[in-house]
Structures are given as C-alpha cells and as structure tokens.
Amino acid sequence: MSGEHLEITVEHKPTYGFYILIWLVLMMLTGVTVAVAGINFGNITIATALTIAIIKSYLVLTFFMHLKTETATFKIFVGVALLFLLISIALLFSDYSFL
Amino acid sequence: MHNNGHSVSYLDYKGKHSGIFAWILSTDHKRIDLLYLMASLLFFAVGVTFGFLMRLELIAPGKTIMDAQTYNSFFTLHGIIMIFLFVIPGLPAVFGNFFLPILIGAKDVAFPRINLLSWWLYILGALLAVISVFLPGGPADTGWTFYIPYSIRSTTNVMPALMAAFILGFSSILTGLNFIVTIHRMRAPGMTFFRMPLFAWSLYATAWVQILATPIIGITLLLVSIERAFGVGLFDPALGGDPVLYQHLFWIYSHPAVYIMILPAMGVISEIIPVFSHRTIFGYKFIAFSSLAIALFGSMVWAHHMFTVGMSETAQIIFSLLTFLVAIPSAIKIFNWVATLYKGSISTDAPLLYALGFIFLFSIGGFTGLIQGALSVNMHIHDTSFIVAHFHYVMFGGTGFGIFAAMHYWFPKMFGKMYNMKTAKTGFWFLFVGFNTLYFPMFVMGWLGMPRRYYDYLPEFHIYHLVSTIGSWILIVGLIIMFTNFYKALRSKTSYTAINPWGGETLEWTIQNKPSLENFEVIPTITAGPYEYKDNEENLMKEDS
Amino acid sequence: MSSIAEHTVEHIHRDDVGSRLGMWLFLFTELVLFGGMFLVYAVYRFTYPHEFHVAAKELNTSVGALNTIILLTSSLTIVLSIIAIRKNNKFLSVFFQIFTMVLAFGFLINKYFEWNIKIHHGIFPGSEILLAKGNGEILFFGLYYVMTGLHALHVGIGMLLIEVMTGLTIKGRINSTNYVRLEAAGLYWHLVDIIWIFLFPLFYLIT
Ligand code: HEM
Ligand SMILES: [Cu+2]
C-alpha cells in the first residue's frame, strides 16, 4: 500500500451552510427532548429521551465526524465497537432482569 | 549504507540519540521490542520468585516461612506481575512489535512514537506496582482481582496497585491500536489479508480485544479508586452499591484478557507447526477466522467466573452455554495443527518441542476449563486449587510456553546467534516435567477440597503440596537451563549468518539476521500465501496417488 | 555509513487515512470507558427507579440544557474551522477554533457553578445530607459527580488539544493540504459532545 499513501478521500465540496443546517436540526431535537421531558409519559419517557439522543449522535457521527464520506472500513469499525457495547449490556441484563 | 547487500543491524546503527537514549528514546519497533523483552523477563523472574516462595510456604502444613498476611500480599503481587507485566505484553508487545511489521512487509508500525509511549506507560505502571510494595501500609493483599468490598476496606496500598493496572491497561490499548492500523494500512503490495501469516491474524484479533475490552477494566478500577479516595457511593454495599456489579465489570475485561494472552500464542504455534513439518498449514482460513471468532465469543462468557455469587438462573445458563461454544474455535485450531503435522516431514528442534508442549498443556487447560464451565461442577470446585491448576495450564502452559517457543524460533533472527540445540531440548524436558509435577497435584487436591489463596491446609493435603513444591524446583531448574543457554549464545563470539535456519517461508526469513533499521532493502511484492511448501506438497501428492 | 536518522522513516511516510483510523480506534476506547459507566448507571437505575427519579429533581434542567446547546454549537464551530482551513482561509479557521475554546470554557464555568450550588446545598460524596438519603439517591449523586466530572475533564483535555491545533494553524503547520491533526482533534471534540448528548437526558430529564 505504500504507493497509495497520499490518497485523498473523494471530498464533496464542503459548505458551511450544510453543517449549520445539521446544527439547527440538533438544536431543534434538544428543544424537543426538553419539552417532551416535561410531559409524563410514564415508562416511555426514558425511551423517548434515549431515542432522541441516538438520533442526535447519529447526526454527529455521520456528518460532523464525516463518517458518511469515509470508507467502509471506518463504518464497520464503528459497528464493531457498538456491537461490543450492545453485547455487554444485553448479557449484563441477563443477570439483572431475571431473578 | 550498503555493505555487500548487508546493512547495519538494528542493534548497531546510530540514530539521533546516543548511549542508553539510543534505546529508551528509540522509535524503531525492533529496539522497542528489546526494551519490552528485557523488562518483561525481569518481571517474570520476580513473579517466579514470588511463586517459588509461596510454594515453599506450602511445603508443609502450618506456618513455614511466612505469615498469612505476607502470603496474601505475595499471591496478589505474583498475580498482578504475571498477568499485567508478563503474559499480557509478552507476545503482542514483545514479539508482535518485532515481527508484525516484518511479516507483512512494512518498515515499522503505523505510529512509531505511540509505540514508544506505550513502552513508557508500561514502565510507569510497573514502577507504581513496585512502589506499592515499599510504601508504608504494605503491598496490596486483595488478589489481582481487587474484589469489592475488601478492596475499599483493606488498609494496604491498594491505590498504587489500582493505578498501576489502569496505566498498564492504556499501554496495552496503544499497542493494539498501533497494530490494527499497521495491518490495515502498511501491508506490502500483494500482501492481502489472506496472505498474511497467521501470527499477524492472531495479533489482529487480539488488538481488537485490547482496544474494546481494556477500557472497561480501566474505568472500573478508576471507579474503585475514586470510591476509596473520596467515599463516593459506587460499589460499596454500605452505600447501596452492588459488589456483584463490580465483578461483572471486572470480568467483562478479564475474561477477554485471557484471549489477549492466548491468541498471540496460538499465532506463534501456527507459524511454527507448518515450518517444522514442512507442510502447508491445514485450514488456513479456519485458523484465521477462528481467531476472530474467539475474540467475539470470548467477550460473551465473562460471568462463568461468577456462578457462585447468586446471579439469576437465566444468566447462569446462558453463560454456561456460551462457555461451551467458545471452546469450538480453539478446538478447530488444535485439530488443524495436528492435521498439519500428519504426514509432514517433522524436524524436532526446540521450537517444535515447545509448540507441542503448548498443544499438550493448553489442551489440558482447555478441557478443565470446560469442566469448570458446567454449572454443577463449578459449585464444587470454585475457588479451589483446581482453578489455580487450570489457569496455570492455560496461562503458563499455554502463553508461557508460547513465549518460550517464540524465543527459540526467532532467536537467531533477532540476535544473529544460535543457542545450543541439545541444551535447549534438555531445558524443555525439565520445564515440561517440572510444570506437570507442580500443577497436576493442584487439580487433585482442588477436587478434594483444597481452597485457593490459603497459606495453610489440613494434613491430608500434605502429600500433594509436597509433590507440587518439588515440581516448582524442577521447573525453576528448567528455566535456569533455558535462560543460561540463551545468555551463552548471546555472549558467544561466533555469529550466525544463515538467514533461514528452519526453512520458513514467511518474510522474516528472507532478510538478514539482526535486521536493519528499515527491515527490507526493497519492500517486497507478495505473490503467494505464507506457507506454500510446494516441493513437499507435490511429493505428498505423488505418494498419495 | 552507519548514521541514519531514525525519523526520516516517519516523515516520508504520511498516511492521513491511517491517522484518522487510529484516532477512531482511540475514540472507541473513550466510548467504552464511558460505556462502562453507563452500564453501572443502567443497573442502578434499574434497581432504584424511584429514587433516581426523586434525585434527578435536584438537578437544574435549564443549566443542563444550556450546556447541551453550548457543546452542540462548539461541535459546529470546530467543523467549520476544518472547512475553513480546507478552503485555505487561515484566519477564519483560527477564529472558529478560538470560538470553540471559548464555548468549551463557558461549559466548564457553567459546570463549576452547578457543582458549587450542589455542594452548598450539602450534596456531595460523604456529606451528611447525602448519606441521610436513600441508597438509590446516594448512588445517583455518586454517578452524577463521577460521570459529569470525568466528562468535564475530557472537555478540559479537548480544549488543550484545540489550543495546540490553533498554535499549529497559526504557524502554518496545519494548512489546506495538511490538516489531519485538526481533523483528529475535531473527532475527539465530537465524541465529548456525543457523550454529553447521553449524559444530559439520563441525569437531567428523567424527573
Ligand atoms: C506464566 C507464568 C505464570 C502466570 C501467568 C501465573 C499467574 C498466576 C495468577 C493470576 C495467580 C492468582 C493470583 C491470585 O489468586 O490473585 C497465581 C497464583 C499462584 N501461582 Fe502463578 N503464575 C505463573 C507462574 C507461576 C510459577 C512459576 C509458580 C511457582 C513456582 C506459580 C505459583 C503460584 C502459586 C503458588 C499461586 C497461589 C495459589 C493460591 O494460593 O491461590 N505460578 N498465578
Ligand atoms: Cu473466563
């Protein structure tokens, strides 16, 4: 691979506006999550809060962290890391959710 | 620079720094390797000394040479040193550092400076561990497992020990990070993933475990230190915390950690077996993928260390089942190694002896692991010396012998000297016999009820302990024979110039002994897999038809 | 003949993709580090749902929300600084980097006052008021201090990192053809942001 070292990933022309848009969406989601937290949904309160948090992180990962324009390797790597966390929490709760 | 196609060796070139700084500030992966090698062998010697003294204490019932508190500190220090300072860095940081770049046709690892940083963190962690011994308060006595609540109550120097383990974890993470990027980005032209030697594959799988699992123990030990220092309620049952949760977190790392230890050793064996039987490895892809499978399943079995703590029944059954599954990929490897040996033209030099020793001892360790994985049996043998025997068979018989195999295999390449083959074989037999005499009795007495971490015992166990202690002496004689053999070879004036003494087909055997700074004069282009042995395979084909 | 500068090897070899790959791997370790604490949080919340609920009422949602806004904005400004340098606009890039640091500093100030108020109310590890509360609440505040504390530490480290990048940008060592270090610092900064995205609802919004 030594010959290909200076390869530069295909860059779509980056624009300021696009990222400001993403930021606006993130702000909106923050507003929503705070507003919704006031309402008592009972058990699904935490689920809504987490869903919104996941959407927000997805946006940050994909756009701010440029995962979208990286090669498949990067995406698989992130998948592996998340899978590890998922396995850990699922198996951990095999102890705590059953008595 | 050129000298009849022979460049200055990595031991001799002059870099930016001189004197000792040419070493401790070097970013050359081969020099860093030697730093790691020397440091980890030093700690091994210290660890063996603790083990020897513990065995001496156990030679007869009652107090023999030390009191209970000293014994507790000794097994703690022995455990911490052996795990974090010897077997975990033993193969990746030592031999991986030297040979990974060479095996894939690269000049160095991806981040040489981070490589050096990782060594320095290792030394820092080791220093903290040493300091914890001498500070007032006395060395930690919690066992290397730091179980709650004792680890927040013990008045010994638990804090520096925790910090040491934390820092050593980061050293290990950085090595893993370096290796993954090196493998992804620095392979020589033509070196596809499936042309990589199996040692590289095993390091790759190991590196993932290092990166993903180690931070869990890092944070867990950090939480314990914070709890100790500031009285924050986290695990302490007096504050509502859950000690079993601590155990979960501890083993989420520490079970995969045994794969950090064993996977690279399996990689070494996969290098040695085809070379010494002069055959293509049987089932290359199976071995490669089984490393990944072990890394994956290995992160799903941690709670088999906790069957007696009162987990939910569901959890017990799941973890027991998964434990049986994780044995499959290991068994695949053993099957493939044996299949490679079959009909090979075998040369029984020292590296192969150690590799066979590995297979034998690791198999015993693995099978007894399955025995412990069965729920009902586990209740009977949990926390007995059966467990101590099991993990020594895996960690010492497995990883330890793997390290010795690697030393005998790569010694001529690294140092341009050759050890005495006969002495090496004698050393092996002492080690092998000593090992089994030392640890096999522990299986028996554990089965009969001898608890672990006890400095005293009932008279009926005396005979087993006596035999075991004698075994430790035989083993230590073996170690002395092995290391003096190496030492003599290093001191000898005759240098060894044959670049391919064993007939290997991987890249390290194509370059000069004591490789140069950049390893290769010209980066090679790879056109075939690592263990072709075409001539020999053709002969076999003829025989068969 | 035998004098070879070790460093030549490194400098010839420049691999931006590799550097980013390395950075991502490092981020995973940070992710798992916090992941471990989230595991602890999850188990204790599962064990003491009611007490967590009560304890969370002590936290000030507006302060948390403000800090969320600050961090999200700083995530934007660091992205913008990278675009600026790619467009060879050094001035704008430095401006955005400094802006990011100011925001980070604001976050820490905010955090400082938040903790200060808690401590004034007598809620801190080992305090009598806290120990008088139920086990679940002790654990909640234990986790609150440790998790937001470690997160704040990361904000601080991120600030220092960006500061170094600003220096390099001004010196021209980070420029429109070589900006991978700024990208790496940016990645780190976004991760700190993502962790906060989860800390915020789990501590401030479960009332
Ligand atoms: C690669 C080599 C070795 C490794 C990785 C290793 C690892 C360990 C570990 C992790 C423990 C458990 C410590 C604890 O309970 O907290 C242990 C205990 C022990 N080891 Fe080793 N060890 C090795 C070599 C040796 C040697 C060479 C000896 C004897 C000469 C030895 C004798 C013992 C003894 C007596 C115990 C204490 C058992 C007990 O009371 O529970 N080990 N070892
Ligand atoms: Cu295990």
Side-chain angles (χ1 to χ4, degrees), chain B residues 304 307 323-324 327 362-374 378 381 386-387 390-391 394 443:
Chain B
H304 61 209
F307 285 148
T323 300
F324 282 97
F362 176 74
S363 300
I364 294 181
F367 277 125
T368 52
L370 284 180
I371 292 174
Q372 287 155 209
N378 185 280
I381 52 179
F386 190 92
I387 308 290
H390 154 73
F391 67 66
V394 185
F443 278 129

Side-chain angles (χ1 to χ4, degrees), chain B residues 340-398:
Chain B
T340 308
L341 287 165
Y342 176 68
K343 281 199 176 177
S345 35
I346 294 174
S347 22
T348 52
D349 288 323
L352 186 75
L353 273 185
Y354 277 97
L356 295 178
F358 170 98
I359 296 179
F360 182 82
L361 300 173
F362 176 74
S363 300
I364 294 181
F367 277 125
T368 52
L370 284 180
I371 292 174
Q372 287 155 209
L375 285 171
S376 50
V377 185
N378 185 280
M379 301 295 145
H380 179 65
I381 52 179
H382 180 78
D383 259 346
T384 66
S385 64
F386 190 92
I387 308 290
V388 180
H390 154 73
F391 67 66
H392 281 94
Y393 267 87
V394 185
M395 292 198 289
F396 190 2

Side-chain angles (χ1 to χ4, degrees), chain B residues 20-189:
Chain B
I20 179 145
F21 294 109
W23 287 84
I24 62 174
L25 294 181
S26 169
T27 55
D28 179 355
H29 66 108
K30 299 178 290 302
R31 286 194 173 185
I32 294 175
D33 154 276
L34 281 201
L35 296 176
Y36 263 119
L37 181 66
M38 285 185 290
S40 68
L41 286 182
L42 181 74
F43 291 118
F44 178 62
V46 177
V48 169
T49 311
F50 282 127
F52 167 75
L53 291 173
M54 281 190 284
R55 273 320 325 161
L56 213 55
E57 163 58 36
L58 293 171
I59 195 169
K63 183 178 162 195
T64 316
I65 57 163
M66 60 178 90
D67 56 22
Q69 179 63 30
T70 314
Y71 187 85
N72 292 354
S73 294
F74 273 22
F75 71 65
T76 305
L77 290 167
H78 172 79
I80 293 177
I81 290 175
M82 286 302 196
I83 299 260
F84 293 113
L85 294 171
F86 179 61
V87 283
I88 287 188
L91 279 164
V94 177
F95 292 96
N97 243 329
F98 200 107
F99 288 103
L100 175 68
I102 299 180
L103 285 171
I104 63 172
K107 291 180 173 174
D108 205 322
V109 292
F111 307 113
R113 268 177 294 194
I114 290 181
N115 202 11
L116 180 64
L117 175 67
S118 132
W119 183 76
W120 274 104
L121 287 178
Y122 171 83
I123 292 298
L124 186 69
L127 276 180
L128 268 174
V130 172
I131 288 173
S132 82
V133 178
F134 297 105
L135 283 180
D141 60 351
T142 57
W144 77 282
T145 43
F146 300 109
Y147 271 12
I148 298 278
Y150 188 56
S151 56
I152 30 181
R153 307 255 196 281
S154 169
T155 51
T156 55
N157 299 323
V158 176
M159 220 36 181
L162 287 169
M163 284 297 113
F166 180 80
I167 293 174
L168 291 169
F170 268 90
S171 158
S172 164
I173 287 175
L174 292 181
T175 304
L177 187 157
N178 230 328
F179 286 2
I180 291 188
V181 179
T182 306
I183 289 175
H184 272 277
R185 304 296 303 170
M186 317 247 309
R187 280 169 288 124

Side-chain angles (χ1 to χ4, degrees), chain C residues 9-85:
Chain C
V9 186
E10 278 170 54
H11 285 307
I12 301 168
H13 171 90
R14 178 182 146 203
D15 175 11
D16 288 356
V17 178
S19 305
R20 287 209 301 277
L21 210 57
M23 192 61 201
W24 274 96
L25 290 171
F26 179 72
L27 294 188
F28 295 161
T29 71
E30 295 276 9
L31 188 73
V32 176
L33 206 83
F34 277 92
M37 288 191 282
F38 280 114
L39 289 180
V40 177
Y41 175 94
V43 167
Y44 288 158
R45 193 190 139 79
F46 184 81
T47 322
Y48 302 100
H50 182 68
E51 287 174 296
F52 265 52
H53 189 78
V54 174
K57 288 211 167 95
E58 296 270 350
L59 299 186
N60 187 332
T61 311
S62 338
V63 176
L66 178 64
N67 261 350
T68 309
I69 293 172
I70 293 181
L71 267 197
L72 284 175
T73 311
S74 73
S75 246
L76 171 71
T77 49
I78 198 77
V79 174
L80 296 184
S81 85
I82 296 170
I83 303 182
I85 200 71

Side-chain angles (χ1 to χ4, degrees), chain B residues 145-448:
Chain B
T145 43
F146 300 109
Y147 271 12
I148 298 278
Y150 188 56
S151 56
I152 30 181
R153 307 255 196 281
S154 169
T155 51
T156 55
N157 299 323
V158 176
M159 220 36 181
L162 287 169
M163 284 297 113
F166 180 80
I167 293 174
L168 291 169
F170 268 90
S171 158
S172 164
I173 287 175
L174 292 181
T175 304
L177 187 157
N178 230 328
F179 286 2
I180 291 188
V181 179
T182 306
I183 289 175
H184 272 277
R185 304 296 303 170
M186 317 247 309
R187 280 169 288 124
M191 177 67 80
T192 59
F193 261 81
F194 288 114
R195 284 183 186 157
M196 280 197 315
L198 288 162
F199 185 48
W201 267 100
S202 71
L203 288 171
Y204 185 71
T206 309
W208 273 108
V209 182
Q210 286 175 296
I211 288 185
L212 292 180
T214 317
I216 295 269
I217 194 151
I219 191 64
T220 308
L221 298 182
L222 195 67
L223 291 181
V224 176
S225 340
I226 293 176
E227 182 148 21
R228 251 185 98 90
F230 305 107
V232 185
L234 292 166
F235 294 121
D236 189 348
L239 300 172
D242 180 358
V244 173
L245 178 60
Y246 168 84
Q247 295 191 14
H248 272 298
L249 292 170
F250 179 82
W251 289 110
I252 287 180
Y253 164 74
S254 295
H255 183 81
V258 309
Y259 297 109
I260 298 179
M261 306 169 198
I262 203 68
L263 274 172
M266 291 170 155
V268 171
I269 306 308
S270 305
E271 294 300 318
I272 292 178
I273 297 282
V275 172
F276 287 84
S277 42
H278 304 280
R279 285 205 59 187
T280 307
I281 188 118
F282 185 83
Y284 170 92
K285 282 197 183 175
F286 277 98
I287 297 186
F289 280 122
S290 67
S291 291
L292 296 181
I294 288 177
L296 176 69
F297 291 126
S299 61
M300 299 163 65
V301 300
W302 75 79
H304 61 209
H305 297 265
M306 304 165 54
F307 285 148
T308 56
V309 303
M311 286 192 300
S312 79
E313 236 163 66
T314 321
Q316 300 199 6
I317 292 169
I318 292 178
F319 279 108
S320 178
L321 194 75
L322 287 170
T323 300
F324 282 97
L325 286 184
V326 78
I328 296 173
S330 308
I332 289 180
K333 292 199 193 226
I334 292 183
F335 173 76
N336 283 320
W337 293 327
V338 177
T340 308
L341 287 165
Y342 176 68
K343 281 199 176 177
S345 35
I346 294 174
S347 22
T348 52
D349 288 323
L352 186 75
L353 273 185
Y354 277 97
L356 295 178
F358 170 98
I359 296 179
F360 182 82
L361 300 173
F362 176 74
S363 300
I364 294 181
F367 277 125
T368 52
L370 284 180
I371 292 174
Q372 287 155 209
L375 285 171
S376 50
V377 185
N378 185 280
M379 301 295 145
H380 179 65
I381 52 179
H382 180 78
D383 259 346
T384 66
S385 64
F386 190 92
I387 308 290
V388 180
H390 154 73
F391 67 66
H392 281 94
Y393 267 87
V394 185
M395 292 198 289
F396 190 2
T399 313
F401 274 64
I403 293 173
F404 300 157
M407 289 197 313
H408 286 91
Y409 181 53
W410 280 314
F411 188 89
K413 183 57 60 185
M414 293 167 70
F415 301 105
K417 298 278 164 64
M418 190 51 120
Y419 49 85
N420 181 308
M421 190 56 73
K422 244 182 101 189
T423 319
K425 290 184 185 178
T426 319
F428 169 80
W429 286 111
F430 270 91
L431 276 172
F432 186 77
V433 172
F435 183 94
N436 286 296
T437 324
L438 165 58
Y439 294 113
F440 201 82
M442 293 193 192
F443 278 129
V444 184
M445 61 178 148
W447 194 263
L448 297 175

